[in-house]
Amino acid sequence: MMNKDDKAVEFIRDSTVKSFNVHELRDLFPILGQHVNDKPLVYLDNAATTQKPFSVIRSLESFYERFNSNVHRALYTLGEEATQAFEDSREKARQFINASSRSEVIFTRGTTESVNLVASSFGETVVNAGDNVIVSQMEHHSNLVPWQILCEKRNAELRFIPVDSNGNLKIDSLDDLISERTRLLSVTYVSNSLGTINPVKKIIEKAHSRGVPVMIDAAQAAPHLKIDVADTDCDFLALSGHKVYGPTGIGILYGKENLLEMMPPYQSGGEMIKEVKFSGALYNELPYKFEAGTPNIADAVALKPAFEFVENTGFDMISEHENSLLLLATELLKDVEGIRIIGTSKEKVSVLSFVISGTHPYDAGALLDQMGIAVRTGFHCTQPLLQEVYGLNGTIRASFAIYNTADEVTYFADCVRRARNMLA
Ligand code: PLP
């Protein structure tokens, strides 16, 4: 009989997987089988981080069991194998986002570090007093605070694309927001607290027509939508491995080569140099110029099986399954008294934020936890959006992944009803 490890390997190898059985797929995720508070775990906090399949877990183990050594420096076999695995993973990442060259794919700690890198290196090169940077009102703090700091440092202005009551960006406002002093527009592809899928291609076209480069925060898009940097023509793009079934502490920054070439290093030290003299240093070529120090090798290597898991499952299947869960959850929650859904755009991924009238999100979250359900409560790192735009003290957020089931959604809706009755 095949064990779960073998099944995971089979799944990864068989790129022709066509039929989808959620129960078989769940078997690839060891964490999902456990009980929490004496109830079967129902994990619905996938927008915060996704669980990992065996292939990713085994990749981490096998790196430390078989390949562990530093990359790019060693001439011995182990070092060459580690370097090969590290660079193979970069190549996989390049394919995953459809970049034209590996030089444009930089390993970072995740989306947060990728945005900080661009804000610091690109931002401090091009943004001066009197200039402006544009973000939207729905940004995660990671794509907001670095721009606030940059603008404060440079005496520049941070401008915001407004959000309407359904959670859609008012992109017509860009006609007025963009000026000849706009140096960059940075916007999220998908909102982590509303689920809205933003029309990034349209936004990029509008910005480019006025000569403004665009950074895309793809942290929430990458697990649900095909990322295609060539098609969207974005100038920078950031994503985090842990939201795409990969490890924590590793992510990607994509940047167009001509922009990365003109940018100064973000951090300095080993790896990012070609030659060092007492009088100064010559920087390494791309992408290494932006990868100072020993990288997070094992986690970078384990990104490859994570991307393969997503690709082999297929975005069509992911969308179909996750949309059916979102639809079911939305319909069931509408029947619960006092529920208000926050984020009702027609273009959404499987993120469902809601409030229960007369209750605090934390209380409902704590009750749901007692029932075995993991959901996120609070501001979801979008405090200005929820507080200043919607006037809320947080929401309860359920976010569905490819391994969630309709039974879990039905149980969740039933538990929300019970929680509401207990708190009301
Ligand atoms: N951007 C968005 C839209 C997010 O949802 C998140 C994480 O929740 C981030 C950025 C930050 O990602 P990380 O914490 O992996 O750097």
Side-chain angles (χ1 to χ4, degrees):
M1 216 176 94
M2 243 191 216
N3 67 27
K4 286 179 180 175
D5 271 17
D6 293 339
K7 269 169 76 178
V9 171
E10 232 3 60
F11 185 84
I12 298 305
R13 278 211 198 107
D14 184 2
S15 52
T16 61
V17 178
K18 284 283 178 285
S19 65
F20 174 66
N21 181 329
V22 69
H23 299 287
E24 278 181 16
L25 184 130
R26 284 176 73 82
D27 279 350
L28 306 180
F29 291 79
I31 203 170
L32 296 177
Q34 68 178 295
H35 281 61
V36 168
N37 295 323
D38 297 327
K39 302 283 187 321
L41 168 67
V42 175
Y43 184 77
L44 303 181
D45 195 17
N46 296 287
T49 197
T50 50
Q51 302 301 346
K52 320 304 170 201
F54 272 111
S55 54
V56 169
I57 298 167
R58 293 295 171 258
S59 169
L60 289 167
E61 277 181 357
S62 88
F63 181 81
Y64 287 116
E65 281 174 7
R66 294 196 38 238
F67 301 109
N68 181 44
S69 47
N70 215 327
V71 288
H72 300 138
R73 301 169 198 177
L75 287 179
Y76 51 83
T77 306
L78 220 53
E80 280 170 8
E81 285 175 345
T83 303
Q84 187 64 47
F86 184 72
E87 292 302 327
D88 280 354
S89 202
R90 192 192 307 275
E91 170 58 18
K92 182 79 246 169
R94 182 198 69 72
Q95 291 167 16
F96 190 76
I97 62 172
N98 197 27
S100 58
S101 158
R102 289 191 313 110
S103 318
E104 298 178 321
V105 179
I106 296 158
F107 284 127
T108 63
R109 284 199 296 126
T111 305
T112 302
E113 188 173 57
S114 298
V115 177
N116 274 277
L117 191 162
V118 176
S120 166
S121 173
F122 181 77
E124 292 192 17
T125 305
V126 303
V127 177
N128 292 301
D131 291 339
N132 66 73
V133 172
I134 301 175
V135 295
S136 84
Q137 286 183 330
M138 67 165 73
E139 298 313 316
H140 187 280
H141 298 163
S142 294
N143 193 34
L144 170 60
V145 182
W147 304 115
Q148 287 177 333
I149 292 174
L150 170 73
C151 289
E152 203 175 314
K153 250 192 209 170
R154 291 290 155 143
N155 207 8
E157 184 192 353
L158 191 58
R159 297 182 170 182
F160 295 91
I161 309 170
V163 177
D164 72 15
S165 56
N166 292 319
N168 291 310
L169 286 184
K170 296 182 183 173
I171 62 167
D172 287 347
S173 66
L174 279 175
D175 297 336
D176 293 328
L177 287 173
I178 297 176
S179 72
E180 75 271 16
R181 301 298 300 267
T182 305
R183 296 293 169 248
L184 185 82
L185 188 159
S186 188
V187 69
T188 193
Y189 200 146
V190 165
S191 159
N192 66 308
S193 46
L194 306 173
T196 313
I197 303 170
N198 290 321
V200 289
K201 217 171 151 177
K202 233 185 196 164
I203 294 172
I204 292 166
E205 271 168 22
K206 262 184 186 287
H208 282 182
S209 74
R210 308 274 297 271
V212 175
V214 179
M215 171 155 205
I216 298 297
D217 171 352
Q220 291 296 335
H224 308 287
L225 307 169
K226 170 67 192 155
I227 303 294
D228 189 331
V229 294
D231 182 54
T232 53
D233 197 25
C234 59
D235 299 277
F236 298 103
L237 179 135
L239 64 84
S240 298
H242 71 98
K243 309 234 189 232
V244 199
Y245 307 99
T248 51
I250 190 75
I252 296 293
L253 170 66
Y254 159 81
K256 281 184 178 163
E257 202 162 322
N258 61 326
L259 296 176
L260 294 175
E261 286 289 4
M262 57 76 95
M263 288 159 54
Y266 169 57
Q267 292 183 330
S268 50
E271 287 278 313
M272 51 70 70
I273 41 78
K274 199 171 245 168
E275 197 185 337
V276 186
K277 294 185 175 169
F278 284 124
S279 54
L282 205 62
Y283 306 141
N284 209 340
E285 61 202 28
L286 294 173
Y288 310 111
K289 181 171 93 173
F290 292 106
E291 293 180 357
T294 298
N296 182 354
I297 308 167
D299 291 310
V301 169
L303 260 188
K304 185 170 180 234
F307 288 149
E308 283 169 344
F309 167 76
V310 172
E311 285 178 348
N312 292 342
T313 308
F315 283 104
D316 287 348
M317 237 178 277
I318 290 172
S319 297
E320 193 181 316
H321 179 67
E322 292 179 345
N323 286 342
S324 73
L325 298 179
L326 178 68
L327 210 68
L328 176 63
T330 308
E331 284 309 307
L332 291 174
L333 281 199
K334 275 185 189 158
D335 286 344
V336 181
E337 210 184 313
I339 296 271
R340 182 177 143 219
I341 293 172
I342 310 298
T344 49
S345 170
K346 287 197 179 77
E347 298 294 327
K348 270 183 77 168
V349 300
S350 48
V351 167
L352 189 59
S353 254
F354 59 97
V355 291
I356 307 175
S357 98
T359 69
H360 194 284
Y362 288 158
D363 296 330
L367 284 175
L368 291 172
D369 179 48
Q370 289 310 306
M371 301 173 193
I373 298 174
V375 288
R376 182 54 57 111
T377 51
F379 291 124
H380 322 300
C381 290
T382 54
Q383 186 171 2
L385 172 72
L386 294 187
Q387 208 163 49
E388 295 175 43
V389 177
Y390 292 116
L392 299 169
N393 56 7
T395 73
I396 305 156
R397 182 189 70 185
S399 48
F400 310 108
I402 187 67
Y403 42 62
N404 290 123
T405 67
D407 285 348
E408 286 182 318
V409 170
T410 309
Y411 175 67
F412 158 71
D414 188 42
C415 291
V416 171
R417 187 191 306 275
R418 279 155 53 191
R420 186 256 156 208
N421 290 344
M422 287 182 213
L423 295 169

